[in-house]
Structure formats: structure tokens, C-alpha cells
Amino acid sequence: MKIEQLGRHILVEFYNCDKEVLNNHSEIEKHMNEAAIRSNATIVQSAFHTFNPWGVSGAVIIQESHLTIHTWPEFGYAAVDLFTCGDSVNPWIGFEYLSDSLKAEKWETSEVPRGPVDKIKAFAKEDLGEVHFKPQTDSEIAS
């Protein structure tokens, strides 16, 4: 089976992470930017915020979409989204880097195809012509 889609959206739940890392604004921003770079994404901008008494949220806007994180240091938990478009970016490389950087002991992931080309064409009010997409094979879906 082959899915024709515009992008890939990996949703990640990281558990039992290093609580000090999760509460460190500069470390989180550094790791999220590095995850984008290692994924072969082009960074446009990043914005991060520290909450009182703890926790960090932020987004790295990339030319190919975005990476976001929300941390709950008190629980050792982080929620991460890796949304990428195009053939040159691999969000799973960013996932692996973040898993190591946050020192996560456990994680759960789910990949959601974004922009399914067949639906875009079916729901369009006009002929879109050729739609460029990222093909995804069975082996990519299984990873």
C-alpha cells in the first residue's frame, strides 16, 4: 500500500524524562532546533516560553512545517509534535535525537499522514492539476 500525502505528523509522548532538562528553557530550545537540523529541515524561527513555577513550551517553525514541545517537568513528561512536509526531511531522526536529549525512558508515537492527496483532489472545487506529495511506503508506515 502506498499513501500519497503532503506531510507527516509524528505525535510523541515522552515519559520519565530528565526533569531538569524539561524545565530548562535554553536546553529545550537548543534540543528542538538541533532536532530540526538533524532532520534536514530549514529553520525559519523559534519561540519558547518558560512557565511559572515550571514547564517549557515552544515551537520551531521550519520551512517544511513545524516542531513543537510542551513539558511537564513535575511529571517527567513531554508532548512533542514533529510535522514535516517534503521528501528531504525525516522527522524520525528528530524523534531519535529528542529521545536521547530528554533522556526519556519510555515513549509512544503515532504518525498521522497529513494532506492526503486523494482527498484534496476529491474535495477541490477546481482541477488542481498535478499535486506534489511525499509518497510513503509500507516500510515507512511500519517504522
Side-chain angles (χ1 to χ4, degrees):
M1 180 171 122
K2 183 171 148 184
I3 299 172
E4 297 177 352
Q5 63 195 37
L6 298 179
R8 304 166 77 176
H9 196 164
I10 300 172
L11 308 174
V12 185
E13 312 289 326
F14 284 121
Y15 302 101
N16 301 325
C17 300
D18 183 308
K19 293 178 179 187
E20 289 184 20
V21 172
L22 292 184
N23 204 40
N24 186 318
H25 176 282
S26 62
E27 284 291 306
I28 292 295
E29 185 167 11
K30 177 183 84 170
H31 293 317
M32 290 296 289
N33 279 278
E34 184 63 24
I37 291 166
R38 289 182 184 220
S39 296
N40 201 37
T42 305
I43 297 173
V44 174
Q45 182 177 11
S46 66
F48 286 79
H49 176 77
T50 303
F51 293 95
N52 186 12
W54 46 63
V56 177
S57 288
V60 178
I61 307 305
I62 57 176
Q63 185 171 320
E64 303 83 3
S65 197
H66 67 267
L67 285 66
T68 62
I69 188 168
H70 304 283
T71 74
W72 285 262
E74 68 273 31
F75 303 124
Y77 170 78
V80 173
D81 289 3
L82 306 159
F83 185 179
T84 64
C85 300
D87 292 335
S88 63
V89 181
N90 185 344
W92 287 105
I93 293 171
F95 158 77
E96 292 289 340
Y97 172 78
L98 289 172
S99 175
D100 291 341
S101 298
L102 301 178
K103 301 177 184 170
E105 292 179 6
K106 303 230 182 260
W107 55 84
E108 295 177 324
T109 63
S110 177
E111 183 169 342
V112 179
R114 301 306 300 266
V117 174
D118 59 341
K119 289 185 181 180
I120 290 171
K121 287 181 176 181
F123 298 142
K125 292 183 178 183
E126 68 233 18
D127 181 7
L128 299 177
E130 185 179 350
V131 176
H132 297 280
F133 58 88
K134 174 175 181 34
Q136 187 177 18
T137 63
D138 285 336
S139 62
E140 289 178 309
I141 294 167
S143 48

